[in-house]
């Protein structure tokens, strides 16, 4: 069974960690800027709801694929606290670095949304909320399933050392599943799958309605997928992360 690596506080001042945080901030910023910007564009153009949903889904699919690819070598291109948690549960990133990533991703999302508000002349950054008729339990379950599928894809196409002919296709396939999930769940829960993606718009718009759903659902889904895939489907041939102070 995979073991969670706690890590050490000294990680925060290591060069590789600082580089990873900078790259993770940049990639998350650009992801949120494009994703939220696409949603704001559909509002500005008063697009047909179905066309608007497809437009937003495709924008997220493309930017996720590109930003994972751009950040993968240095930070892993997580873009998402749920992804970070899923990888932490599998022992691929330490708890200490995961916390630093969480903070980094939230700051990047807030910065992207603040800039969008300024650049669009004060337009509201649309916050994720549950659709009319969707209660909390339904929204949470929807977000759990969508985020589970996202992390399952990340593990199967990027993390798993025996990915076979999928080598190099992981970022694209992950982007595609994000886009597909938005098409499937966008009209119900908003299909966030990402606490950071929901946090920035909520903070800048001041709309915290249903916001807790977009933490509970994605974190449960991401953590569950990471635990299941790592412990039941991966043949562990990699060297685990250090688990004690002597490794630092």
């Amino acid at each position: 069974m995979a073991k969670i690596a706690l890590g050490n506080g000294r990680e925060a001042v290591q060069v590789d960690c600082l580089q990873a945080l900078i790259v993770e901030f940049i990639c998350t910023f650009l992801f949120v800027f494009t994703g939220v910007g696409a949603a704001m564009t559909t509002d500005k153009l008063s697009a047909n709801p179905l066309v608007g949903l497809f437009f937003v889904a495709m924008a997220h699919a493309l930017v996720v694929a590109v930003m994972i690819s751009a950040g993968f070598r240095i930070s892993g291109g997580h873009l998402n606290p749920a992804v970070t948690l899923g990888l932490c549960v599998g022992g691929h990133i330490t708890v200490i670095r995961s916390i630093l990533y969480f903070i980094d991703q939230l700051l990047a999302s807030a910065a992207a949304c603040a800039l969008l508000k300024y650049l669009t002349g004060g337009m509201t950054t649309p916050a994720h909320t549950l659709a009319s008729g969707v209660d909390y339990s339904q929204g949470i379950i929807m977000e759990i399933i969508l985020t589970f599928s996202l992390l399952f894809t990340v593990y199967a196409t990027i993390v798993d050392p025996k990915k076979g002919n999928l080598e190099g296709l992981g970022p694209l396939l992950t982007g595609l599943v994000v886009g597909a999930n938005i098409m499937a769940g966008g009209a119900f829960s908003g299909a966030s799958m990402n606490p950071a993606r929901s946090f920035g718009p909520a903070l800048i718009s001041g709309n915290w309605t249903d916001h807790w759903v977009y933490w509970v659902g994605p974190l449960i889904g991401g953590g569950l997928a990471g635990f299941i895939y790592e412990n039941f489907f991966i043949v562990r041939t990699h060297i685990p992360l250090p688990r004690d102070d002597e490794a630092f």
Side-chain angles (χ1 to χ4, degrees):
M1 180 173 289
K3 302 295 185 181
I4 296 176
L6 178 60
N8 187 288
R10 291 193 294 274
E11 282 188 79
V13 295
Q14 292 177 342
V15 173
D16 67 318
C17 183
L18 293 174
Q19 290 177 332
L21 290 172
I22 292 170
V23 170
E24 186 68 13
F25 183 94
I26 292 171
C27 291
T28 305
F29 176 94
L30 295 174
F31 154 65
V32 174
F33 187 90
T34 298
V36 177
M40 294 171 75
T41 295
T42 62
D43 289 344
K44 182 176 179 61
L45 298 179
S46 300
N48 173 278
L50 184 59
V51 173
L53 179 63
F54 180 79
F55 179 80
V56 171
M58 288 305 300
H60 280 76
L62 293 172
V63 74
V64 166
V66 174
M67 288 304 115
I68 292 176
S69 299
F72 185 76
R73 181 180 69 84
I74 299 175
S75 74
H78 296 189
L79 317 178
N80 182 346
V83 171
T84 300
L85 178 62
L87 294 175
C88 180
V89 168
H92 296 278
I93 182 172
T94 66
V95 173
I96 297 296
R97 190 171 295 205
S98 295
I99 293 171
L100 295 174
Y101 268 42
F102 285 180
I103 297 170
D104 201 41
Q105 291 155 353
L106 295 178
L107 290 175
S109 178
C113 291
L115 183 59
L116 277 169
K117 183 172 183 178
Y118 169 72
L119 293 177
T120 59
M123 281 185 64
T124 299
T125 51
H128 283 127
T129 57
L130 299 178
S132 177
V134 177
D135 63 28
Y136 289 137
S137 62
Q138 292 169 324
I140 290 172
I141 293 171
M142 176 72 77
E143 289 294 324
I144 289 173
I145 294 172
L146 297 179
T147 312
F148 184 96
S149 75
L150 167 58
L151 264 294
F152 196 86
T153 301
V154 168
Y155 264 89
T157 66
I158 298 177
V159 177
D160 194 334
K162 295 188 175 182
K163 62 182 70 67
N165 58 6
L166 296 178
E167 186 72 47
L169 294 177
L172 174 60
L173 296 174
T174 301
L176 291 177
V177 80
V178 168
N181 285 348
I182 291 174
M183 293 180 194
F188 303 99
S189 71
S192 169
M193 300 168 278
N194 185 338
R197 168 64 180 79
S198 297
F199 176 78
L203 178 67
I204 300 305
S205 69
N207 182 3
W208 298 98
T209 304
D210 307 325
H211 182 71
W212 65 276
V213 170
Y214 303 104
W215 284 87
V216 174
L219 291 180
I220 291 175
L224 187 61
F227 176 82
I228 290 175
Y229 200 101
E230 180 66 36
N231 289 291
F232 294 98
F233 302 119
I234 286 185
V235 177
R236 297 182 64 82
T237 58
H238 63 281
I239 300 174
L241 285 169
R243 291 179 49 77
D244 53 47
D245 291 348
E246 295 178 359
F248 294 91

